[in-house]
Amino acid sequence: MNRKQFLKNSAKGVTLTTLVPSLVFCSTDGQQKTISGNYRVNSDFEPDVDLELTATPSELQFFPGNPTNIYSYQSKLLKGENASHEKLPDSYLGPVVRVRNGQKIRVRFKNQLPHESVVHWHGLHIPPEMDGHPMYAIENGKQYIYEFEVNNRPGTYWFHPHPDKITGPQVYQGLAGMFIVEGVNEDLPSGEYDIPLIIQDRTFDNNNQLVYLQNNRMGQMQGFLGKQIMVNGSPEQIMEVSKATYRFRVLNGSNSRIYKLAWSDGSDVIVIGTDGGLLEKPIKKPYLMLAPGQRAEIWKDFSDAKNTDEIQLESLAFNSGTSMGMGGGMMGGMMQSEDTQNGNAFNVARFKITKNEGEIKTLPASFSPIKKTDAVKAVNSNSPRQFYFYNQRMQWVINSETFGMTEVADWEKVKLGTTEIWEFINGDDGRGMGMMQDMMRMPHPVHLHGLQFQIIDRDVSGMESAVWETIKDGFMDEGWQDTFLLMPGMKVKIVMKFKDFKGIYVYHCHNLEHEDMGMMRNYQVT
């Protein structure tokens, strides 16, 4: 079974046409963009891959009855190898783009949505005007040209919209795709055994239409949590596999749901890669915590299973530590319906072993070495910059501030070529509303644009033990990262070097509803 056949089994019976969706989004504040973007093809740029990507209203026939109104990335490969552009069959998701380090990429993005949009290349190390900052969002009928060289290690990255205040609804409607930087490693599963697993949650009404927040302020405070798991843009969760070894590239593409991934057969989750590519060596865990925006490459060998076996990828129950005001966790539970709470257990995907033949691999003892960033050489090694993520007067903030399109504070300016340590704290910095504010806490997936970093410390001394005990064995702090999970009361230190590019990038909570509320800030490389 080749990759396309495998993916088609995960999305049976779905058809795609173009239509205007009925879901109404809130509009942006119309803030004027002040920096010129890249709206024309550069004739001096010779791309290895040239791709046309159009965001457009569409519809899909998911269930009997009415088709579901969605947004989709329609794509067309203008130049490049056919393998560099793979459409997920019968899926609302965009293409899987496969490229190599050193290749030059051009993407002609066209916006046919009723609202402005922009494409963020999540995890890629590229110039700020190519990264997808909200200031570069284009209106309906306009075009933006992305031209960049791939500077990243082989690994699993992705792309999605990033317009100010409406990222959540656009991703929820279907706009996302996987961006894979290929490497050469004959010891790893490849071809039909190298499979994307994009996990998202959605809710549908009786007319098969997507249900979103509908401008519900309390729902936005929490973040969207859906009732149904979607895999690779389809509600079909049964996948046929061979008695073989697979490399699953798992992406948490949900708006705000956190997954505690485990195998139903009790075997370890074998992690071979994180956000920024392969680890130095495989790491075995009983389960894996995966926050929105994070990726993990998982090794799974089905060769010992019987033909009749069915193995499930599950999300186990855990305590999210959510506390929304007086009454703590009780109030948090009241905000969330019983069947959608973050931390509920449910099945993610079912793997049915249907073939005896298949390529079987031996798990390598090691992969490529990772050069550790020397935190001692950081210019602020003795006084890391601190970023407090918390709630202030029913508003999610970072250091008491919310997003301004081009606003950069002095404490957000760094120098090109320097290495720094940043510390992120989930909780009040002592300048807010005291006890009431402290009770309004939630997990925050933290994402930095423009670079990869290394986690050097995760301090859980301020966490509730009842929360930590349910998640403590699932964190992957090794390797290169661009997104990490910051639980209530937790502190995380990261180290990174600002290299190659000057300009403004954003950092934010990757709970997309929190981001849309303003839990996002700029940092500037000068």
Side-chain angles (χ1 to χ4, degrees), residues 100-314:
R100 296 185 297 277
N101 180 280
Q103 283 192 316
K104 292 183 176 181
I105 312 299
R106 174 184 289 143
V107 179
R108 307 162 191 251
F109 172 60
K110 299 180 179 180
N111 182 16
Q112 293 183 359
L113 304 177
H115 301 277
E116 68 175 12
S117 194
V118 65
V119 182
H120 168 48
W121 307 94
H122 187 121
L124 296 190
H125 179 55
I126 52 180
E129 63 271 18
M130 300 299 167
D131 177 73
H133 191 288
M135 73 173 74
Y136 299 115
I138 56 172
E139 302 292 340
N140 174 279
K142 303 297 183 180
Q143 176 177 263
Y144 196 95
I145 307 297
Y146 297 94
E147 294 172 327
F148 56 86
E149 182 175 332
V150 178
N151 294 305
N152 288 64
R153 299 174 76 232
T156 304
Y157 308 90
W158 65 304
F159 58 95
H160 60 80
H162 217 289
D164 186 27
K165 297 181 179 63
I166 51 174
T167 292
Q170 289 193 7
V171 174
Y172 182 72
Q173 279 286 98
L175 294 179
M178 190 169 278
F179 190 98
I180 295 174
V181 180
E182 295 277 26
V184 179
N185 193 323
E186 296 180 355
D187 295 331
L188 295 178
S190 60
E192 64 188 274
Y193 306 106
D194 181 356
I195 306 297
L197 279 183
I198 303 171
I199 307 171
Q200 299 170 308
D201 56 336
R202 299 288 184 265
T203 295
F204 298 88
D205 65 17
N206 293 333
N207 292 318
N208 299 334
Q209 300 309 306
L210 288 165
V211 177
Y212 191 55
L213 299 176
Q214 299 175 323
N215 294 321
N216 183 309
R217 180 71 172 181
M218 292 304 289
Q220 193 174 27
M221 286 282 296
Q222 164 192 293
F224 177 84
L225 297 167
K227 296 181 179 180
Q228 179 160 348
I229 299 300
M230 311 287 281
V231 178
N232 290 341
S234 167
E236 179 59 60
Q237 295 174 289
I238 301 177
M239 299 184 178
E240 295 182 354
V241 294
S242 304
K243 281 190 171 182
T245 310
Y246 285 85
R247 175 188 192 175
F248 291 115
R249 298 177 183 264
V250 185
L251 159 65
N252 182 349
S254 297
N255 281 38
S256 70
R257 185 172 293 283
I258 300 165
Y259 298 95
K260 181 181 177 180
L261 298 176
W263 294 109
S264 63
D265 62 357
S267 62
D268 287 328
V269 177
I270 303 175
V271 183
I272 62 173
T274 52
D275 295 339
L278 291 175
L279 297 166
E280 288 190 314
K281 60 182 180 180
I283 295 178
K284 297 181 179 181
K285 290 189 168 291
Y287 55 83
L288 175 67
M289 301 301 299
L290 203 67
Q294 282 189 301
R295 289 86 63 209
E297 296 187 26
I298 295 176
W299 174 287
K300 181 60 177 175
D301 191 345
F302 294 104
S303 62
D304 291 335
K306 299 177 183 178
N307 283 347
T308 55
D309 276 0
E310 182 179 282
I311 297 175
Q312 298 183 12
L313 182 62
E314 303 171 325

Side-chain angles (χ1 to χ4, degrees), residues 6 10 23-25 46 64 74 151 200 275 285 366 394 462:
F6 180 96
S10 69
L23 187 63
V24 178
F25 301 146
E46 292 291 337
Q74 301 294 307
N151 294 305
Q200 299 170 308
D275 295 339
K285 290 189 168 291
S366 63
M394 296 296 288

Side-chain angles (χ1 to χ4, degrees), residues 83 94 111 113 193 279 282 321 326 382 421 449 479 506 516:
N111 182 16
L113 304 177
Y193 306 106
L279 297 166
M326 194 65 68
N382 295 322
I421 298 174
H449 284 218
V506 295
D516 286 345

Side-chain angles (χ1 to χ4, degrees), residues 354-427:
T354 59
K355 286 190 176 182
N356 288 323
E357 315 85 42
E359 187 178 78
I360 299 174
K361 296 276 190 179
T362 300
L363 180 66
S366 63
F367 303 113
S368 57
I370 294 176
K371 183 179 180 180
K372 296 291 191 296
T373 303
D374 191 349
V376 176
K377 294 182 179 179
V379 295
N380 63 340
S381 59
N382 295 322
S383 56
R385 297 179 191 244
Q386 292 184 315
F387 301 86
Y388 291 84
F389 282 57
Y390 60 96
N391 188 278
Q392 179 174 275
R393 300 180 180 88
M394 296 296 288
Q395 176 71 57
W396 294 112
V397 299
I398 302 173
N399 288 357
S400 296
E401 303 290 342
T402 55
F403 181 63
M405 188 66 76
T406 57
E407 179 182 307
V408 185
D410 288 340
W411 44 270
E412 295 168 313
K413 294 178 181 178
V414 300
K415 291 184 178 181
L416 185 68
T418 60
T419 297
E420 288 206 11
I421 298 174
W422 287 11
E423 183 178 28
F424 296 83
I425 301 101
N426 188 330

